[in-house]
Amino acid sequence: MTLLNFIEQYPDEASCKAKFKEFREQAGVVCLHCKGREHYWKADKECYECKHCGYRQGLKTNTVMHKSKLPFRYWFIAMHLLTATKKSFSAKELQRQLGHKRYHPIWHMAHKLRSAMGARDGEYILAGRIELDEGYFSTEIPVSEKDKPLKRGRGSQRKSKVLVMAESEFVESPRKGQKPRRVGYLKMKVIEDLQSDTINGQVQKLAQCATAIDTDDSTSYVDLKDFVPQHNAVVIPKDKVGEHLPWVHIAISNAKRQLLNTFHDVKPEFLQKYLDEFCYKFNRRYFGEALFGRLLIACVSYKNEFRYVYG
Ligand SMILES: [Zn+2]
């Protein structure tokens, strides 16, 4: 959606609220008491009343805006900014654009939107041929590690480990300039360690429908053959990763660059949220202007589970 379209469609709080209500009712309002699906809209109190048991709930209840005091228009502007560009927005930048006094409500809002993106993508299970590799993302040193000596390299406290999986089929007789593999859905998961049990668990959960999996020859992947019909482990020299695992490689470097450009000092506990946003947009890269509406559907469909006392 262009900025002009956005301003035309959502000029004020009432227009945002009406759109949100429309989407909420399309998704279906469910009674929190009896699970009934038929409701009256009480316009004077701005709430739904269950036709069966009379239980009332507000317009924001059980959505991503659950208990939020921010105006609908803030949410809509944030959704527009997050979907209108490939880039992301820091909470500081959102706060500046909105001209809001306090930082923390805006920071929470941004993370709740990312949670909705993550929840939506969480419903998808990877299928077909898959590239798998791990990435090491720079993050702040966790509080529990602050007094310990700094380790170097991949095991450093400044690095978070991320398992990256991408659906990636070979293209039959690619045209000139066309990539030899076609990418589908992408997933990135922050993991505690690279033990094979950890990797196995994630693959079983996120890629149940995989028919083949391509990796390097790391010992972390030795059991994958037990879960996937075909496992191709190849010895990959460092400078050839782009050839053997092209899409996970591209995804990792793009995500790293985006994080570096937008955020300063990502805390390890929030890295997953930023990756969720990156994957959500990557997985909908051809949606164009429809992306805003898709995010709105996600927002009415998921109650936010994001809780964090900012200290
Ligand atoms: Zn009810």
Side-chain angles (χ1 to χ4, degrees):
M1 184 162 28
T2 66
L3 185 55
L4 281 178
N5 286 341
F6 178 82
I7 295 168
E8 257 171 45
Q9 277 188 49
Y10 306 109
D12 50 24
E13 178 69 359
S15 50
C16 297
K17 199 186 279 183
K19 188 50 123 186
F20 187 80
K21 184 168 173 286
E22 180 192 319
F23 270 61
R24 173 120 202 243
E25 288 166 15
Q26 268 172 26
V29 180
V30 180
C31 174
L32 303 180
H33 184 67
C34 75
K35 303 270 182 266
R37 291 186 155 266
E38 285 185 303
H39 288 80
Y40 301 108
W41 172 247
K42 312 287 270 184
D44 53 335
K45 298 201 167 55
E46 295 204 334
C47 71
Y48 293 104
E49 186 178 288
C50 176
K51 284 189 182 177
H52 184 67
C53 74
Y55 187 89
R56 287 179 181 178
Q57 59 175 302
L59 188 52
K60 290 176 178 171
T61 306
N62 254 6
T63 71
V64 77
M65 300 183 194
H66 192 80
K67 290 193 171 162
S68 166
K69 292 191 183 75
L70 296 177
F72 283 93
R73 200 154 187 239
Y74 273 33
W75 287 88
F76 273 57
I77 292 169
M79 282 191 277
H80 173 68
L81 291 175
L82 287 179
T83 54
T85 71
K86 273 189 188 173
K87 288 189 276 181
S88 185
F89 274 83
S90 66
K92 263 268 170 279
E93 184 61 22
L94 281 175
Q95 183 196 8
R96 207 178 63 80
Q97 299 274 348
L98 289 164
H100 194 65
K101 240 186 197 165
R102 293 176 57 223
Y103 172 73
H104 294 156
I106 305 299
W107 180 86
H108 269 103
M109 174 172 70
H111 272 316
K112 285 170 184 176
L113 287 172
R114 293 186 186 108
S115 299
M117 295 179 188
R120 198 59 167 181
D121 270 355
E123 289 180 5
Y124 187 85
I125 306 289
L126 299 178
R129 190 168 192 125
I130 286 166
E131 294 177 28
L132 179 150
D133 203 355
E134 72 266 357
Y136 299 86
F137 283 71
S138 298
T139 43
E140 266 184 42
I141 300 173
V143 180
S144 59
E145 295 284 331
K146 283 227 158 105
D147 300 326
K148 297 181 187 167
L150 196 63
K151 290 179 232 164
R152 292 175 147 266
R154 291 178 160 188
S156 164
Q157 295 97 324
R158 281 188 206 278
K159 298 280 178 197
S160 291
K161 299 170 193 73
V162 177
L163 189 68
V164 183
M165 289 184 254
E167 292 173 343
S168 170
E169 301 289 346
F170 282 97
V171 178
E172 272 181 54
S173 48
R175 292 186 307 275
K176 207 179 161 203
Q178 194 183 8
K179 289 200 165 62
R181 297 180 81 155
R182 187 186 302 116
V183 68
Y185 229 78
L186 171 74
K187 282 189 189 280
M188 293 185 167
K189 282 284 161 223
V190 177
I191 48 176
E192 279 299 307
D193 55 61
L194 296 171
Q195 308 276 331
S196 47
D197 281 350
T198 308
I199 309 281
N200 298 343
Q202 292 291 345
V203 169
Q204 281 175 288
K205 199 164 102 191
L206 307 174
Q208 277 165 15
C209 310
T211 51
I213 209 155
D214 298 314
T215 66
D216 62 30
D217 64 334
S218 157
T219 52
S220 305
Y221 308 140
V222 285
D223 299 332
L224 288 183
K225 58 183 185 320
D226 300 338
F227 310 113
V228 184
Q230 193 192 337
H231 176 213
N232 312 301
V234 181
V235 182
I236 305 177
K238 221 177 175 189
D239 57 328
K240 292 276 195 270
V241 180
E243 271 174 42
H244 289 275
L245 303 168
W247 285 109
V248 287
H249 187 68
I250 289 171
I252 290 170
S253 56
N254 287 354
K256 279 184 184 172
R257 190 174 335 121
Q258 196 179 94
L259 257 62
L260 204 66
N261 287 342
T262 315
F263 308 102
H264 301 285
D265 301 330
V266 169
K267 284 190 168 46
E269 60 265 46
F270 302 128
L271 176 61
Q272 186 64 57
K273 291 274 172 282
Y274 298 118
L275 296 176
D276 284 348
E277 182 191 343
F278 179 84
C279 288
Y280 182 87
K281 289 199 225 176
F282 182 92
N283 292 336
R284 289 160 188 77
R285 59 202 174 277
Y286 302 124
F287 280 36
E289 296 190 2
L291 191 56
F292 178 87
R294 294 308 179 98
L295 181 55
L296 190 51
I297 293 173
C299 286
V300 298
S301 309
Y302 299 100
K303 180 182 174 185
N304 83 74
E305 303 293 344
F306 184 77
R307 297 269 182 284
Y308 189 78
V309 182
Y310 203 90

